[in-house]
């Protein structure tokens, strides 16, 4: 019996009970569709995160004043006002590979325009900050070195702030107030959308670093050179771990920390963000794999069940085939091919359904999805193996039938 | 040591098959020796339970004896592996059953082609030979019909075509007319006789004397034993 003969016999037998065959395949169909759709959604999400991280730049190091807080536990007692503009200058001049250091302060506050007001976050920055964080200007112009040097009372607004204070109107040249200081709007930032944590990045305003320090009450009282954070931009291809170590050594030395004493600043590069993302998507994948495995297992048991029924129903046929010259191996192969055909047709339907679902999710929910060819191949191969594995016991029962008794079977 | 006589197709020596039913032993076949030459048309008769089917199953290599020996066409069957026995059933023997045993969802042509599936015959040749076999039983124009679309006599002809398609030496038929009315039985037995004239050896079980009349030799069984072995002038079918 050739494989082609066995396949024809299998298809004939599956066609004899179309509904039963379809119901039997259901477990495999759902399992395979789940694998493909979920892998597609997961890959799409990961791809999106990677693109966002790439857009932030992977060659950035954030340094902040105070101690690192991890998992809600404060590690070490950081002293306030520990980080200064001079630290930023020192990092730029002493650490090889540093392109830009952008010092900044940040403050949550109300901004008022006419009778509208809006709660937002103010960043006191230098022009380098725009470059380091990849901000660009949509209207008007950005902050200049002169603005910083003269502590000009100018402000650049994020899109969300513009929307909330001016509606559709043009804010350029308009006066706004933060605390009691009047500022003039000179520019509007280009839209950035949400970041990887889902926060609105456009709900910000930028003022010159010097203006922020001079006009925000309480800020920089103890130390006028004080900053909250600095962004260090390394040249492309720089060794980020090495750069972090050097910055750390430099800052510890500048802050006169003795060995054993905790850092009074924190430091993070964006590859760490991507690593935590990776870990959580791995956990998600593991969960999905478990769901798929259970559906496929149930599908396999369904196949085994239906194959046992089929062997019983077709006992006479098996007896006849043995009588006219089928070897036991021929019967075994015939039933194995039947169970495998069943699971592979189920897999094919599942692939179609999975791709359809992924596309539907992309269309309706607006999630990015990415069909992974690996997941399709894997799902089909696993389905085939399930067909063989769960078909083996029924097929062996068929192959071991006694031809005389089988022919007498009613 | 018994040697196999020349010019015989079937030689069985002291063939015995018994079944253990609890404490009791049923001697389904008890010490049967017989020789069938090529070209014979043998009818096997006897009351129900006399061992006819047991005998046929042994001749057909579907069962193995408890003792005794069996040569088919000069080859001793006892030593053959299960695969080799399958090959013997496939190439050297054709089976015809009382209940036809056609695959219900397949056409007459597909049913007739089935033994060639296990003989490794090419697809083109399968169709050609199956059509020739259907022609030999007078059913060429019914090749595309399913068993349910055929009468009992026609179904049995399809089964006979299936038994013939691999050109066996021996045709074994266990009550092939048992499910048919008298007129149809006579048609079928006429077909067997014509096939026999063309050279194939036939061993056929029947309860009906009017069927047995067409054979050239009649074996009578009782209680698992061969009690009578008569040659006769076969009546010629119309
Ligand atoms: N598998 C079996 N297990 C136990 N006993 C069996 C088995 N097969 C046959 N027998 C017994 O062997 C004896 C011969 O049976 P066999 O089927 O050969 O008779 P038969 O001559 O073909 O009868 P019939 O004309 O009714 O078909 C019977 O007594 C039967 O009960
Ligand atoms: Mg019988």
């Amino acid at each position: 019996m050739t494989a082609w003969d066995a396949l024809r016999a299998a298809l004939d037998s599956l066609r004899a009970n179309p509904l039963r065959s379809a119901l039997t395949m259901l477990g495999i169909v759902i399992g395979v569709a789940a694998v493909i759709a979920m892998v597609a959604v997961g890959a799409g999400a990961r791809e999106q995160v990677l693109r966002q991280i790439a857009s932030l730049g992977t060659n950035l190091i954030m340094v902040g004043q105070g101690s690192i807080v991890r998992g809600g536990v404060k590690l070490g007692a950081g002293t306030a006002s520990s980080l200064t503009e001079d630290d930023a200058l020192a990092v730029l001049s002493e650490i090889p590979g540093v392109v830009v250091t952008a010092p900044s302060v940040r403050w949550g506050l109300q901004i008022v325009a006419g009778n509208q007001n809006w709660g937002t976050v103010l960043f006191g920055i230098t022009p380098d900050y725009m470059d380091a964080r990849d901000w660009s200007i949509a209207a008007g112009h950005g902050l200049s070195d002169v603005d910083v040097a003269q502590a000009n009372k100018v402000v650049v607004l994020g899109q969300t702030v513009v929307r909330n204070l001016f509606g559709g109107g043009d804010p350029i040249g308009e006066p706004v107030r933060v605390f009691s200081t009047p500022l003039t709007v000179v520019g509007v930032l280009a839209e950035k959308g949400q970041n990887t944590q889902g926060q609105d990045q456009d709900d910000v305003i930028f003022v010159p670093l010097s203006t922020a320090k001079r006009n925000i009450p309480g800020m920089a009282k103890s130390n006028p050179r004080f900053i909250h954070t600095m962004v260090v931009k390394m040249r492309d291809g720089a060794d980020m771990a090495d750069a972090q170590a050097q910055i750390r050594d430099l800052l510890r030395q500048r802050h006169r920390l003795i060995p054993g004493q905790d850092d009074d600043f924190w430091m993070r590069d964006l590859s760490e963000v991507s690593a935590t993302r990776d870990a959580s998507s791995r956990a998600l994948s593991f969960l999905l794999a478990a769901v798929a495995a259970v559906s496929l297992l149930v599908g396999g048991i369904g196949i085994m069940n239906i194959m046992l029924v089929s062997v019983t129903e077709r006992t006479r046929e098996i007896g006849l085939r043995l009588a006219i010259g089928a070897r036991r191996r021929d019967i075994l192969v015939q039933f194995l091919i039947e169970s495998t055909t069943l699971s592979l047709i189920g897999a094919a339907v599942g692939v179609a359904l999975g791709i359809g679902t992924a596309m539907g999710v992309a269309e309706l929910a607006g999630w990015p999805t990415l069909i992974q060819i690996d997941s399709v191949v894997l799902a089909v191969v696993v389905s085939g193996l399930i067909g063989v594995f769960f078909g083996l016991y029924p097929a062996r029962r068929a192959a071991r039938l006694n031809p005389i008794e089988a022919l007498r079977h009613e | 040591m018994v040697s196999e006589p020349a010019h015989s197709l079937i030689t069985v020596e002291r063939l015995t098959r018994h079944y253990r039913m609890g404490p009791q032993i049923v001697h389904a076949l008890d010490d049967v020796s017989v020789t069938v030459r090529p070209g014979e048309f043998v009818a096997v008769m006897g009351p129900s339970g006399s061992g006819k089917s047991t005998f046929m199953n042994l001749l057909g290599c579907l069962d193995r004896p408890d003792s005794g020996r069996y040569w088919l066409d000069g080859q001793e069957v006892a030593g053959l592996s299960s695969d080799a026995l399958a090959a013997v059933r496939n190439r050297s023997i054709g089976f015809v059953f009382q209940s036809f045993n056609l695959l219900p969802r397949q056409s007459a042509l597909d049913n007739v082609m089935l033994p060639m599936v296990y003989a490794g015959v090419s697809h083109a040749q399968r169709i050609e030979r199956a059509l020739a076999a259907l022609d030999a039983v007078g059913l060429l124009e019914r090749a595309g019909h399913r068993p349910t679309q055929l009468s009992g006599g026609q179904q049995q002809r399809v089964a006979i075509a299936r038994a013939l398609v691999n050109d066996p030496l021996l045709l074994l038929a266990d009550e092939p007319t048992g499910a048919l009315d008298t007129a149809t039985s006579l048609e079928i037995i006429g077909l067997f006789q014509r096939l026999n004239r063309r050279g194939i050896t036939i061993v056929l079980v029947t309860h009906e004397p009017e069927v047995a009349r067409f054979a050239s030799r009649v074996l009578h069984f009782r209680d698992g034993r061969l009690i009578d072995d008569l040659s006769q002038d076969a009546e010629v079918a119309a």
Side-chain angles (χ1 to χ4, degrees):
Chain A
M1 193 178 210
T2 64
W4 173 244
D5 290 320
L7 187 64
R8 252 198 68 181
L11 290 174
D12 277 344
S13 143
L14 298 180
R15 263 204 302 267
N17 290 296
L19 182 63
R20 186 169 89 183
S21 303
L23 290 175
T24 304
M25 287 171 195
L26 212 54
I28 301 286
V29 170
I30 291 173
V32 168
V35 171
I36 288 169
M38 289 167 169
V39 168
V41 169
R46 191 155 52 245
E47 169 80 3
Q48 191 184 35
V49 167
L50 286 178
R51 225 179 304 124
Q52 283 173 342
I53 288 171
S55 78
L56 292 175
T58 49
N59 54 344
L60 297 184
I61 297 169
M62 306 282 292
V63 185
Q65 66 93 19
S67 55
I68 303 173
V69 177
R70 249 189 217 138
V73 179
K74 204 168 181 220
L75 301 173
T79 42
S81 323
S82 56
L83 208 60
T84 66
E85 290 176 52
D86 305 308
D87 287 335
L89 292 172
V91 167
L92 178 62
S93 61
E94 288 179 37
I95 309 291
V98 173
V99 181
V100 159
T101 55
S104 67
V105 294
R106 49 174 291 165
W107 204 260
L109 44 60
Q110 294 286 316
I111 173 169
V112 182
N115 55 1
Q116 300 287 317
N117 77 76
W118 178 250
T120 186
V121 180
L122 172 147
F123 281 80
I125 61 164
T126 60
D128 287 342
Y129 186 86
M130 302 281 288
D131 173 37
R133 296 305 304 260
D134 270 337
W135 281 104
S136 49
I137 294 295
H141 56 83
L143 303 174
S144 65
D145 288 323
V146 175
D147 290 331
V148 177
Q150 302 180 353
N152 288 340
K153 297 191 172 180
V154 292
V155 62
V156 174
L157 304 183
Q159 295 277 356
T160 302
V161 180
V162 173
R163 239 189 334 274
N164 284 284
L165 288 183
F166 297 95
D170 179 10
I172 307 291
E174 295 292 325
V176 297
R177 274 185 308 122
V178 294
F179 295 103
S180 43
T181 311
L183 300 174
T184 304
V185 178
V186 295
V188 176
L189 295 167
E191 181 146 7
K192 262 199 172 178
Q194 295 185 345
N195 70 3
T196 54
Q197 273 87 29
Q199 289 164 343
D200 179 8
Q201 301 183 85
D202 297 313
D203 192 3
V204 290
I205 63 176
F206 289 170
V207 300
L209 181 60
S210 48
T211 312
K213 287 185 179 178
R214 195 165 298 170
N215 295 289
I216 294 171
M219 173 140 342
K221 277 275 166 55
S222 56
N223 180 358
R225 301 290 288 164
F226 153 85
I227 56 174
H228 282 124
T229 55
M230 66 169 136
V231 181
V232 181
K233 184 174 183 174
M234 305 298 297
R235 68 170 154 64
D236 287 337
D239 180 340
M240 299 301 280
D242 185 51
Q244 281 200 50
Q246 291 190 50
I247 293 169
R248 183 163 181 261
D249 286 346
L250 177 66
L251 292 179
R252 284 185 68 88
Q253 190 191 323
R254 288 179 56 83
H255 296 186
R256 298 197 177 80
L257 299 177
I258 57 166
Q261 205 175 342
D262 287 325
D263 293 343
D264 57 357
F265 54 89
W266 54 260
M267 206 179 329
R268 154 160 26 99
D269 76 12
L270 290 165
S271 57
E272 284 175 39
V273 179
S274 73
T276 49
R277 282 275 149 174
D278 251 18
S280 61
S281 75
R282 253 201 305 280
L284 183 69
S285 304
F286 181 78
L287 187 74
L288 299 182
V291 169
V294 169
S295 335
L296 290 175
L297 182 72
V298 170
I301 292 170
I303 286 179
M304 179 146 124
N305 177 43
I306 228 65
M307 290 308 295
L308 284 171
V309 171
S310 178
V311 168
T312 305
E313 279 178 354
R314 289 154 67 198
T315 300
R316 274 175 83 98
E317 176 192 325
I318 295 161
L320 172 83
R321 286 178 183 269
L322 289 169
I324 64 172
R327 294 165 302 175
R328 301 208 170 272
R329 197 187 326 153
D330 294 320
I331 302 294
L332 183 84
V333 167
Q334 182 187 337
F335 279 88
L336 274 184
I337 287 193
E338 186 167 325
S339 63
T340 310
T341 304
L342 196 59
S343 65
L344 285 180
I345 292 175
V349 175
V351 166
L353 187 67
I355 290 176
T357 306
M359 284 177 5
V361 163
E363 189 73 25
L364 298 176
W367 295 356
T369 57
L370 208 64
I371 305 290
Q372 299 294 91
I373 196 72
D374 302 19
S375 73
V376 174
V377 171
L378 183 76
V380 170
V381 168
V382 167
S383 301
L385 292 177
I386 283 173
V388 172
F389 182 79
F390 287 95
L392 199 57
Y393 176 69
R396 286 173 76 115
R397 266 190 36 171
R400 283 180 180 170
L401 285 174
N402 174 328
I404 299 168
E405 282 166 22
L407 279 166
R408 253 194 239 128
H409 186 89
E410 285 309 313
Chain B
M1 162 134 190
V2 191
S3 71
E4 186 257 340
H7 310 303
S8 83
L9 181 65
I10 295 171
T11 301
V12 297
E13 285 284 344
R14 316 203 60 170
L15 210 57
T16 299
R17 181 78 171 93
H18 43 73
Y19 295 101
R20 198 176 300 274
M21 300 290 284
Q24 216 179 334
I25 291 180
V26 179
H27 292 276
L29 206 65
D30 194 6
D31 207 17
V32 169
S33 301
V34 73
T35 298
V36 176
R37 290 183 309 280
E40 281 196 284
F41 185 171
V42 181
V44 177
M45 300 193 72
S48 188
S50 58
K52 305 182 295 294
S53 293
T54 305
F55 179 60
M56 296 294 274
N57 289 338
L58 288 170
L59 291 189
C61 299
L62 288 170
D63 197 9
R64 292 181 191 260
D66 293 301
S67 67
R69 305 177 75 179
Y70 171 24
W71 290 266
L72 177 65
D73 195 30
Q75 183 178 39
E76 177 146 27
V77 165
L80 296 180
S81 70
S82 130
D83 281 3
L85 286 177
V88 168
R89 291 196 294 266
N90 188 228
R91 318 260 157 101
S92 307
I93 301 172
F95 283 95
V96 179
F97 307 91
Q98 177 175 353
S99 53
F100 323 138
N101 279 322
L102 299 174
L103 300 186
R105 291 179 40 81
Q106 312 256 318
S107 67
L109 186 67
D110 283 331
N111 268 288
V112 174
M113 291 200 293
L114 199 56
M116 291 187 282
V117 164
Y118 298 109
V121 178
S122 76
H123 198 74
Q125 257 205 312
R126 282 184 204 172
I127 292 178
E128 193 184 313
R129 277 168 57 177
L131 289 173
L134 280 171
D135 196 23
V137 299
L139 272 184
L140 195 51
E141 69 280 10
R142 295 282 195 279
H145 287 51
R146 289 197 181 171
T148 48
Q149 299 164 327
L150 297 171
S151 73
Q154 288 171 330
Q155 289 185 54
Q156 194 59 299
R157 283 164 189 266
V158 173
I160 291 168
R162 181 180 63 194
L164 291 174
V165 80
N166 272 348
D167 251 331
L169 305 162
L170 175 64
L171 201 56
L172 296 175
D174 195 345
E175 301 190 41
T177 60
L180 303 174
D181 62 36
T182 311
T184 315
S185 295
L186 291 178
E187 264 176 44
I188 294 293
I189 199 72
L191 175 58
F192 274 113
Q193 201 174 46
R194 281 198 299 283
L195 294 170
N196 175 243
R197 292 264 157 77
R198 279 160 43 180
I200 192 165
T201 310
I202 296 176
V203 180
L204 173 153
V205 174
T206 182
H207 280 292
E208 300 150 82
E210 41 296 12
V211 169
R213 276 183 316 185
F214 295 89
S216 57
R217 184 178 172 191
V218 181
L219 304 179
H220 279 275
F221 282 78
R222 181 173 296 160
D223 297 335
R225 290 173 170 272
L226 180 60
I227 57 162
D228 223 348
D229 180 352
L230 297 171
S231 289
Q232 63 182 21
D233 286 331
E235 188 172 316
V236 178

